[in-house]
Amino acid sequence: MRVGGAISVVVACCVVLISSSAPAAAQAPAKLTRFPEDGVVGTEAGHLEFPLAIATNNANGHVYVGEGGNRISEFTGWGEFVKAWGWGVRDGSPEPQVCGEGESPPHCQEGLEGSAAGQMSAPNGIAIAPDGSIYALERPNRRVQKFSPAGEFELMFGGDVDKTSNANVCTAASGHECGIGVEGNGNGEFGWASSEISSFIAVASDGTVYVGDIGRIQEFNSDGTFKGAVPLSKSVFPANLAVDPISGDIYFTYLSSPVFNPPVYRIDPDTGAVVDEIPVKAPPKGELDGLATDSHGDLFVIFDPIGAAKPEAEPRVMEYGPSGEVIIDYPEAFAAPPTALLEGEAASLRGVATNAFGDVYVLETNFLVNPFIGAVSVYGPPPPQDKYGPPPAKAPAITDQFATSAGTTTATLKAKINPGFWADTAYYLEYGTAPCFEGGCAVAPTPPGHTLTDQVVNVPLTTEGINLTGLTPATTYHYRFVAQSSGGGPVQ
C-alpha cells in the first residue's frame, strides 16, 4: 500500500495503517475499579439488576447493594463478589437463602418478591451498623429489616409487622409471623407511599437507626424498638439521610419536586434545629439522589440533572467540608456512560457511599432509560492490604491493541491492559510474518518486558509505545501483546 508515495508496512491481526490521536480526556478523580467488570447486567453472582441503594462497612471494607431483584449483593472493597441473599436466590425455593458463598463457580438468581421474614421487595435503602448488621428499608412493604453479617434475618420494624401480636417489631427468635407494615403516623409506623424512591435511612456511630418519615425523622434502637423522633419544620418526606460521625448531626434532603440549587439540611438530632443549610449550586434543574459522610465528617452529595437538561449536563458528585465549603466538584468522571450503560446516554447516579480508607463508591444506572442497568464505580486509594488482605488473584486483561504509526520499515504499537490491581504487571510484544500462536515470532522487549504501572488499580491503562524497526516493506506482520503479573498470566 502506498502512503504519500512511500511503501508502508502492513501490520495484520489488529491492523492500523494511519496514526491517530484521541482528544485529551477530561480531568477526573482517580478511578480505582468498577464492578461488575464485564458490564453484563443480570441476576447471576456478581452482577447487578435494577440497583437501588449502596452502603459500606468500615470494619471490613465490604460494599452492599440493594437490588430491585429483591436481594442484597455483597462485595469486598476490591469489588470481588462475596454473596447475595434473599428468598430463593440460590435455587428458587420459597425460603430465605444465601448464594455464592463457598460455591465454585458461584451461582445466584433473582429473589422472590414478598413480605415474609427475610423476604424483600425492592430494598431501596441500605445502612450498615457499627457491629456489621445490615438494615434494609423496603418502601413497598413499609418496614425496615435487620440482617446479620451472614445475611440471616434477625428482625423487622414498622407498623404492625408482627402479625401474631400486632406489635411494631417482629423478631426471628419470637417464632411469630412477620409481614408487611401498616401505613400510619404513629410511633414506629411509616407513611411513605409505595412509589417513592429514596433511601430514607442511616445509622449513627452509637447504633441509632434514623428513618425519614413525613414531617419527622424517627429514631430506633438496634433491637427495632422506637426511641424517639426528630421533628421537622416541613410536612414532607426527609430523604437521603446521612449522619456526621463526629458531631452526630443529621444531613438530609426533602423529597419534593426538583428545584434549582436544592439545599441539603444539617440538623441537630436532639432538637431538630437547622445547624446549616447547604445550597447545591449545580446547574441546571435537577435532584439530589444520594448523601454520604466519611470518617472526617466530609459530606458527599449526588446531583442528577433531569428532563430536557439531561443530555446537556452531567451528573456529579460534590464533596463538602464540615463547614459547608465545596472541596471537590467533579462532573468529568461521569460525563461518559460506563460500558455497562446504554451507549449515547449519560449515566444517572443513584447512590454514594464511602469507607474508612478514603474511597468513594458511586452507584450508576441509566435510570430514566433502563433502570435495570447498573454498576458501581470506585474512586480513591486501594484498600490497605495489611487490614483487608491482598487483591484477588487474577491475570491482567488485554482489552485492546493497535498501531499508532507505521512507516516503510518501522511501526509503533500500543495496547490497553487492565493490571487487575497488580502493580508488577509487565508486558511485551510478539510479532512476525505468521500468526504468533503458530510460534516463531520475535519479541520486543525481552520478557517480562516493560512495567505497566506503579498504581494499584483495576482499570484499563494505555501502554507506552513499543517501537519496531528493521521491518520489511510491503509485508504483512502479525502481532500480539503478552502480559503477566503476580496475579496470573501470561495472557495474550
Side-chain angles (χ1 to χ4, degrees):
M1 179 178 179
R2 294 185 178 274
V3 180
I7 299 175
S8 68
V9 176
V10 179
V11 185
C13 169
C14 314
V15 177
V16 178
L17 299 179
I18 302 174
S19 65
S20 62
S21 59
Q27 294 297 313
K31 179 177 280 191
L32 175 66
T33 186
R34 176 179 163 274
F35 54 89
E37 288 181 47
D38 58 12
V40 175
V41 177
T43 58
E44 264 297 348
H47 296 129
L48 300 174
E49 185 176 58
F50 204 166
L52 295 168
I54 187 169
T56 53
N57 183 337
N58 280 333
N60 60 11
H62 284 200
V63 185
Y64 301 83
V65 179
E67 299 177 63
N70 311 310
R71 69 180 190 184
I72 296 173
S73 287
E74 178 183 355
F75 302 83
T76 69
W78 299 102
E80 190 175 25
F81 177 73
V82 177
K83 64 178 180 287
W85 67 88
W87 270 45
V89 294
R90 188 176 61 248
D91 60 18
S93 299
E95 62 182 5
Q97 293 183 341
V98 176
C99 63
E101 198 165 44
E103 300 174 357
S104 184
H107 172 71
C108 292
Q109 61 186 52
E110 186 178 60
L112 300 174
E113 185 176 12
S115 59
Q119 195 171 20
M120 285 176 269
S121 178
N124 65 293
I126 300 286
I128 313 300
D131 66 357
S133 299
I134 300 97
Y135 291 90
L137 183 148
E138 307 161 79
R139 72 182 191 283
N141 286 336
R142 296 190 181 90
R143 68 185 186 187
V144 174
Q145 293 198 74
K146 180 181 180 181
F147 297 92
S148 73
E152 301 165 329
F153 170 75
E154 293 188 348
L155 59 86
M156 66 173 64
F157 53 92
D160 294 349
V161 291
D162 189 322
K163 301 307 177 185
T164 304
S165 66
N166 298 118
N168 290 348
V169 179
C170 189
T171 67
S174 70
H176 292 183
E177 178 189 356
C178 302
I180 193 169
V182 174
E183 181 179 358
N185 56 12
N187 292 339
E189 298 175 340
F190 302 117
W192 333 296
S194 61
S195 61
E196 290 156 352
I197 298 178
S198 191
S199 64
F200 295 116
I201 189 168
V203 180
S205 56
D206 65 356
T208 299
V209 183
Y210 292 102
V211 181
D213 195 24
I214 186 166
R216 62 182 178 171
I217 297 174
Q218 296 197 67
E219 302 171 294
F220 297 87
N221 297 306
S222 59
D223 62 0
T225 55
F226 177 78
K227 182 178 180 179
V230 181
L232 302 177
S233 59
K234 298 182 180 180
S235 295
V236 293
F237 287 104
N240 300 312
L241 273 64
V243 181
D244 186 325
I246 298 174
S247 68
D249 289 346
I250 303 171
Y251 291 101
F252 72 93
T253 62
Y254 279 119
L255 185 68
S256 59
S257 300
V259 297
F260 289 103
N261 300 334
V264 176
Y265 294 91
R266 179 173 183 163
I267 62 171
D268 184 320
D270 294 327
T271 64
V274 176
V275 176
D276 197 6
E277 184 175 324
I278 304 169
V280 180
K281 298 180 179 180
K285 182 182 289 188
E287 57 190 355
L288 305 184
D289 285 334
L291 299 180
T293 53
D294 66 12
S295 58
H296 303 292
D298 290 348
L299 173 69
F300 294 80
V301 182
I302 281 181
F303 178 87
D304 205 38
I306 64 165
K310 188 72 174 178
E312 290 79 33
E314 295 82 28
R316 64 184 70 195
V317 176
M318 307 176 75
E319 181 179 355
Y320 295 83
S323 300
E325 73 279 12
V326 176
I327 298 175
I328 302 176
D329 174 10
Y330 40 82
E332 297 91 351
F334 313 106
T339 304
L341 305 185
L342 296 180
E343 294 298 331
E345 296 289 342
S348 294
L349 308 184
R350 303 303 302 181
V352 62
T354 66
N355 61 25
F357 45 89
D359 286 335
V360 179
Y361 294 81
V362 181
L363 186 60
E364 303 172 332
T365 74
N366 262 107
F367 199 79
L368 297 178
V369 180
N370 184 348
F372 289 90
I373 295 175
V376 177
S377 286
V378 189
Y379 299 85
Q385 297 188 32
D386 58 344
K387 184 175 182 180
Y388 299 106
K394 62 179 180 180
I398 302 172
T399 61
D400 195 9
Q401 51 187 357
F402 48 91
T404 59
S405 66
T408 54
T409 60
T410 62
T412 300
L413 307 176
K414 292 184 178 183
K416 288 186 177 181
I417 301 175
N418 187 334
F421 294 119
W422 293 93
D424 63 354
T425 297
Y427 64 94
Y428 60 92
L429 184 72
E430 295 180 343
Y431 67 101
T433 55
C436 293
F437 65 83
E438 296 177 357
C441 278
V443 297
T446 302
H450 295 312
T451 299
L452 177 65
T453 181
D454 59 0
Q455 303 175 53
V456 179
V457 295
N458 186 45
V459 294
L461 302 174
T462 301
T463 67
E464 296 180 3
I466 295 181
N467 300 313
L468 303 182
T469 60
L471 304 177
T472 303
T475 303
T476 296
Y477 281 84
H478 301 256
Y479 71 94
R480 63 180 184 179
F481 277 82
V482 181
Q484 59 186 340
S485 71
S486 295
V491 295
Q492 297 84 17

